[in-house]
Amino acid sequence: TCPLPSSALAILALGIIAAGLGVAGIIASSLIYLVPARPSWNMVHTPIDFLLSAALIGTTLPAVLNAILASFLPVPPDPVVFPFWPAAAASLVWIANHAVRLIQLNRSTVFEHRATAALLNLPAQRAVLIGSFVCAAAVPLAWATSYSALACVAALLAVLLARYLFFVSVVPLNMALTFTRGGTH
């Protein structure tokens, strides 16, 4: 005999399918940005960032949604305990991916990579960059103190700030070189 009723198995199967399709959608969305004309986007860090951004938000959002939904029920259900380690791991790996990308951009021999790094080092962008790291680091701190809503907001802010920088710091291939050396490297 099966330990779960058929409806529970169907819901579990649908959940697994939905999660798989969600991951596939995130990967497909990230691959749009892997174009040679934008060297700072055409890095392995782009699809990894998309997946880690989903993980960072996805580890905090269920607790918030659970609390909101429970507040509408006439009889509160037994509390659901969401573990600390997924939010902490997602935060740490998200920060590591962005830090490694920054190091690679700074040390690259590709002009456009270094130009992107220089843009990220301008005062306004540097402040946004630091803000994204602080928000990502705040996720596990807020989670550990049982402020799941604050952890979720911090995750959203970290991702939004990083995505803003992703778009404003891109240097298209040969854009600056067309004015200085005729478009050749």
Side-chain angles (χ1 to χ4, degrees), residues 16-34:
I16 292 170
I17 291 169
L21 289 173
V23 169
I26 291 167
I27 292 170
S29 295
S30 70
L31 294 179
I32 293 169
Y33 296 98
L34 295 181

Side-chain angles (χ1 to χ4, degrees), residues 56-65 135 138-139 142-143 147-159:
L56 187 61
I57 295 168
T59 57
T60 60
L61 189 57
V64 175
L65 293 176
C135 286
V139 170
W143 192 267
Y147 289 108
S148 58
L150 182 59
C152 189
V153 169
L156 285 167
L157 280 174
V159 170

